[in-house]
């Protein structure tokens, strides 16, 4: 697999001492390009040379020859490119990001975000996706030593100029937490900007960023915004917007994105956040419409067309019978074949809608219609995961949970037509 690295240096020892390193890496297999740039400014030639020797371009040894900056040495490889980028010269263990390097990488991302937010025209969706992909790669790197945070976001309503300002350089985990907070706020400003059309790829990248950074509190709001955000019209001055239909199938939240968001909420042990994520993802009407069109439309269409196909088959077979009239044979064959197809299909539908092998602690209440069980199975699955995360992991201790969170969870599950820890299904209670 061919990999290309390009490193350009312009005027490194000028009076203004502006040194720019642009890197570009590309794989021919995927035809995707992830671009990034790191800009390092120093006040004098001596300070710039000393900074380079401390590890920006070399190995930190005085007098050693500086090597080109490569992003793959500082950011983790995206799963899509992990098998193709830097296979032959990848180091055994990726070096840690210094606080100064954190600032430099983040400064470049923030400058691009600032240009995007301050623009008065509708930006290109591809450029926005590449920017969030770069933020996701940066989030994967700094998420290794981020200290867990369990507080709500308080700076979402601040102006973009405040969110995009770069703070002072800190040391150790504090620098990573500061960078994570700033990156999370910047991603939120990008995704909520009125000019930006939120695509499924942007939504997935944003959910991954906030999950990696341990700050998923804005995900329910973004899920709701994804379905109801006004759509900007390109090439209009001033900008004009059209109101979308939040219930259309294309406005559904993908199950993989909802799963990522729920895992992040479970990791920080925020039960109300888990409720909101489930309500705005798999419980939305758009998700149910999408599931119906994708998984039930074809079987229902086949059931509607089945009588016509069966009658055509019965007419053809009746011509090969000589012991009865053709019309009588057609009626008999039609009734027999249709009854066989109908009974077999009914048994299959009942088997699919009543299967409970995948259920762990949350089951359906008695009397719940089979169509509703099938339509809301993803909702029950995510609720079952929340119950498993909040309860005891030992099966022998199930049923001993107590506390306000557990009682709130039990009541919330009961209000949705489900039962938590049905007695007859627990171990030893058969």
């Amino acid at each position: 697999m061919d990999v290309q690295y390009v490193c350009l240096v312009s005027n490194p020892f000028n009076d203004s001492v502006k040194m720019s390193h642009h890197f570009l890496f590309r794989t021919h297999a995927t035809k995707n390009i992830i671009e990034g740039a790191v800009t390092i400014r120093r006040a004098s030639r001596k300070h710039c040379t000393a900074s380079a020797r401390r590890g920006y371009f070399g190995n930190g040894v005085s007098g050693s020859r500086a090597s080109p900056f490569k992003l793959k040495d500082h950011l983790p490889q995206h799963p899509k490119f992990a098998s193709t980028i830097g296979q032959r010269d990848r180091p055994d263990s990726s070096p840690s990001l210094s606080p100064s390097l954190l600032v430099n990488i983040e400064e470049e991302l923030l400058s691009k975000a600032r240009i995007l937010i301050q623009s008065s025209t509708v930006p290109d969706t591809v450029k926005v996706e590449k920017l969030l992909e770069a933020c996701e790669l940066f989030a994967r790197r700094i998420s290794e030593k981020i200290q867990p945070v369990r507080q709500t976001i308080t700076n979402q309503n601040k102006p973009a100029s405040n969110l995009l300002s770069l703070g002072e350089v800190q040391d150790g985990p504090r620098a990573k937490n500061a960078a994570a907070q700033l990156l999370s706020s910047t991603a939120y400003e990008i995704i909520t900007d009125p000019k930006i059309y939120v695509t499924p790829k942007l939504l997935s990248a944003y959910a991954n960023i906030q999950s990696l950074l341990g700050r998923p509190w804005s995900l329910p709001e973004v899920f709701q915004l994804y379905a109801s955000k006004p759509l900007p019209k390109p090439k209009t001055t001033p900008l004009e917007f059209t109101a979308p239909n939040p219930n259309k199938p294309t406005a559904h939240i993908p199950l993989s994105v909802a799963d990522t968001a729920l895992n992040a909420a479970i990791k920080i042990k925020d039960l109300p956040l888990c409720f909101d994520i489930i309500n705005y993802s798999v419980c939305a009407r758009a998700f149910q419409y999408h599931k119906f069109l994708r998984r039930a439309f074809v079987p229902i269409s086949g059931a509607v067309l089945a009588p016509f196909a069966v009658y055509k088959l019965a007419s053809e077979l009746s011509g090969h019978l000589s012991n009865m009239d053709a019309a009588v044979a057609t009626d008999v064959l039609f009734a027999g074949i249709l009854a066989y197809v109908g009974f077999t299909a009914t048994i299959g539908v009942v088997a699919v809608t009543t299967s409970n092998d995948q259920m762990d602690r949350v089951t359906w209440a008695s009397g719940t219609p089979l169509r509703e069980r099938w339509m809301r199975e993803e909702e029950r699955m995510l609720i079952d995961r929340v119950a498993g995360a909040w309860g005891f992991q030992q099966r022998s201790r199930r049923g001993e949970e107590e506390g306000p969170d557990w009682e709130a969870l039990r009541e919330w599950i009961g209000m949705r037509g489900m039962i938590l820890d049905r007695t007859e299904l627990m171990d030893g209670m058969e």
Side-chain angles (χ1 to χ4, degrees):
M1 195 68 63
D2 293 333
V3 182
Q4 297 182 358
Y5 293 95
V6 179
C7 180
L8 300 177
V9 180
S10 59
N11 296 331
F13 302 110
N14 202 351
D15 293 335
S16 58
V17 193
K18 296 183 179 179
M19 182 174 294
S20 302
H21 286 257
H22 300 274
F23 50 85
L24 166 67
F25 54 92
R26 176 179 61 193
T27 60
H28 296 298
T30 60
K31 301 298 182 182
N32 293 325
I33 298 175
I34 300 179
E35 298 178 301
V38 176
T39 305
I40 304 175
R41 298 179 177 90
R42 291 296 180 265
S44 64
R45 173 182 176 181
K46 179 179 180 181
H47 187 65
C48 180
T49 306
S51 300
R53 291 178 179 176
R54 282 198 300 266
Y56 285 102
F57 310 105
N59 54 8
V61 180
S62 177
S64 61
R65 185 176 181 180
S67 60
F69 179 89
K70 295 182 180 180
L71 183 64
K72 71 182 185 64
D73 296 334
H74 302 281
L75 295 182
Q77 302 302 334
H78 193 277
K80 187 182 296 183
F81 308 100
S83 60
T84 58
I85 296 180
Q87 288 180 342
R88 290 170 295 193
D89 56 347
R90 182 183 301 167
D92 296 335
S93 60
S94 58
S96 60
L97 289 176
S98 62
S100 300
L101 190 57
L102 280 175
V103 172
N104 292 324
I105 298 177
E106 192 170 26
E107 185 181 19
E108 179 63 24
L109 296 176
L110 297 182
S111 63
K112 292 183 178 181
R114 185 182 298 109
I115 296 174
L116 185 68
I117 293 175
Q118 294 177 354
S119 174
S120 60
T121 59
V122 179
D124 186 11
T125 304
V126 178
K127 294 182 179 179
V128 181
E129 290 177 353
K130 289 182 178 180
L131 178 58
L132 279 187
E133 285 179 358
C135 293
E136 181 181 353
L137 291 175
F138 184 56
R140 290 183 185 277
R141 186 64 180 124
I142 67 176
S143 63
E144 297 177 356
K145 295 183 180 180
I146 290 180
Q147 297 177 352
V149 180
R150 297 187 60 184
Q151 58 184 6
T152 57
I153 293 179
T154 59
N155 59 351
Q156 290 181 358
N157 297 326
K158 291 184 179 181
S161 59
N162 294 336
L163 291 177
L164 299 180
S165 62
L166 192 62
E168 297 180 356
V169 177
Q170 305 178 42
D171 296 331
R174 293 182 57 189
K176 289 181 178 290
N177 280 272
Q181 177 62 32
L182 192 57
L183 184 62
S184 175
S185 303
T186 303
Y188 177 82
E189 286 294 317
I190 293 175
I191 204 74
T192 57
D193 191 275
K195 305 184 300 296
I196 295 177
Y197 171 69
V198 183
T199 62
K201 194 172 182 180
L202 282 179
L203 180 66
S204 178
Y206 180 79
N208 291 334
I209 291 172
Q210 301 296 357
S211 300
L212 290 169
L213 299 178
R215 290 166 170 80
W217 301 284
S218 62
L219 290 178
E221 178 187 353
V222 173
F223 286 172
Q224 187 179 14
L225 188 66
Y226 175 74
S228 59
K229 185 178 182 180
L231 305 177
K233 294 182 178 180
K235 300 179 181 180
T236 56
T237 305
L239 288 177
E240 298 180 1
F241 301 89
T242 58
N245 181 12
N247 297 327
K248 62 181 180 179
T250 55
H252 78 286
I253 303 297
L255 184 59
S256 59
V257 176
D259 184 75
T260 301
L262 186 63
N263 290 337
I266 291 175
K267 187 176 181 180
I268 63 175
K269 293 298 181 180
D270 194 330
L271 188 59
L273 179 61
C274 295
F275 294 165
D276 292 339
I277 289 175
I278 294 175
N279 284 331
Y280 289 111
S281 57
V282 295
C283 293
R285 188 169 298 179
F287 184 87
Q288 298 178 356
Y289 287 165
H290 176 265
K291 181 179 179 179
F292 177 82
L293 291 177
R294 184 178 180 181
R295 300 179 58 182
F297 181 76
V298 174
I300 291 178
S301 301
V304 172
L305 298 177
F308 302 97
V310 169
Y311 185 82
K312 181 65 176 177
L313 179 62
S315 300
E316 295 294 335
L317 292 178
S318 63
H320 300 280
L321 299 178
S322 58
N323 55 351
M324 65 176 63
D325 184 66
V328 176
T330 300
D331 296 339
V332 172
L333 290 172
F334 175 75
I337 297 175
L338 188 61
Y340 173 78
V341 173
F343 293 156
T344 305
T346 301
I347 294 174
V349 171
V350 173
V352 170
T353 54
T354 58
S355 62
N356 58 0
D357 295 338
Q358 75 281 6
M359 300 181 185
D360 187 20
R361 305 194 66 169
V362 179
T363 57
W364 294 106
S366 301
T368 305
L370 296 182
R371 65 179 183 277
E372 186 176 347
R373 295 187 181 191
W374 177 81
M375 187 67 69
R376 298 173 56 196
E377 174 56 28
E378 287 76 11
E379 176 186 353
R380 188 214 60 79
M381 178 184 64
L382 296 185
I383 295 176
D384 202 347
R385 186 179 304 171
V386 174
W390 254 259
F392 290 122
Q393 301 300 320
Q394 301 87 346
R395 298 186 63 90
S396 59
R397 299 196 60 186
R398 291 185 177 182
E400 301 178 6
E401 295 89 352
E402 58 183 8
D405 283 353
W406 187 256
E407 294 302 327
L409 178 61
R410 184 187 298 274
E411 182 179 358
W412 186 73
I413 291 175
M415 293 174 60
R416 311 189 77 84
M418 307 174 195
I419 298 178
L420 176 61
D421 290 339
R422 187 189 293 268
T423 305
E424 57 268 24
L425 298 181
M426 298 181 66
D427 293 344
M429 304 296 293
E430 294 85 353

